[in-house]
Amino acid sequence: MTSPAERLFRLFPQTPALDGHQEGVAAVPGLVRGEPAWMGSWKFRANPYAVENARSHTRMHLTLANVCVDIEDAARIGGVLMANAVAHSGVPEYAQIPMQWVLFETGELVIQVQDSRRDFPGFDEAVTWEPAEGEKPRGLWIARELGAELAFVPTEAGKIVQALIKPLEVPAWDSPAVRHTP
């Protein structure tokens, strides 16, 4: 989690989107070190299936990328980010919500979702919210409990909400966190 003053971002260029806007990866400086080793993206319709589709695609993309994070936790975090975008962006069901997965050479993973709403009222409260006894866990609290560090940044097209997931603790080996295989 970052305070508003710490929400500084840098963009890593990627291929231009179909609509001519440049896509990028918003990464919180100081939390993410190194350059992206792998990137994946998909667009999901903002319909009742968006959350489960985001979870399934996250699971599939991260399994194929052979990441060093808990894939099931990452899939749940991706689902939470998508649910948040669908619920609060106010877009119709036919609208598409982009999601990206970025694996850094350090083994850190960023999952980010972009929606069309520029602001995020109550972001700090949503991230620091704790369920009362007997209250059902919800939203960004679930992502935070699964180990995600959360941030957002306004963009020309809306905002990007991201979750940074640290790699799993593994015994020291003489191999990098990300394999450079074709």
Side-chain angles (χ1 to χ4, degrees):
M1 182 177 71
T2 62
S3 70
E6 294 173 323
R7 270 190 230 119
L8 303 173
F9 297 82
R10 64 187 162 117
L11 296 178
F12 294 102
Q14 191 183 347
T15 57
L18 294 176
D19 59 5
H21 288 91
Q22 186 77 13
E23 291 183 10
V25 178
V28 180
L31 295 180
V32 178
R33 291 161 295 282
E35 295 298 316
W38 171 85
M39 296 174 136
S41 64
W42 201 262
K43 291 182 180 181
F44 300 94
R45 297 258 183 230
N47 61 31
Y49 307 106
V51 174
E52 187 52 42
N53 287 338
R55 275 192 226 126
S56 295
H57 275 75
T58 299
R59 194 176 294 115
M60 177 190 67
H61 284 288
L62 298 183
T63 299
L64 292 172
N66 197 22
V67 298
C68 298
V69 300
D70 185 310
I71 292 174
E72 287 305 312
D73 285 352
R76 287 185 63 201
I77 292 166
V80 165
L81 295 182
M82 184 59 64
N84 204 49
V86 170
H88 301 293
S89 66
V91 297
E93 286 190 4
Y94 60 82
Q96 293 186 340
I97 299 176
M99 181 179 226
Q100 284 187 314
W101 306 272
V102 182
L103 179 65
F104 290 89
E105 291 176 352
T106 60
E108 295 166 311
L109 175 71
V110 170
I111 300 175
Q112 62 185 26
V113 173
Q114 181 176 353
D115 67 55
S116 59
R117 186 173 176 175
R118 274 185 68 78
D119 64 338
F120 196 133
F123 174 79
D124 292 329
E125 292 80 21
V127 171
T128 58
W129 175 84
E130 295 281 337
E133 187 174 329
E135 191 174 8
K136 185 178 177 181
R138 64 176 193 250
L140 298 179
W141 182 86
I142 294 170
R144 198 182 82 231
E145 279 299 298
L146 293 172
E149 295 181 42
L150 304 166
F152 84 97
V153 62
T155 66
E156 288 180 20
K159 74 173 168 298
I160 293 173
V161 179
Q162 73 174 192
L164 172 72
I165 304 168
K166 300 287 185 174
L168 295 170
E169 295 292 324
V170 293
W173 293 34
D174 288 337
S175 60
V178 176
R179 289 188 214 137
H180 294 283
T181 57

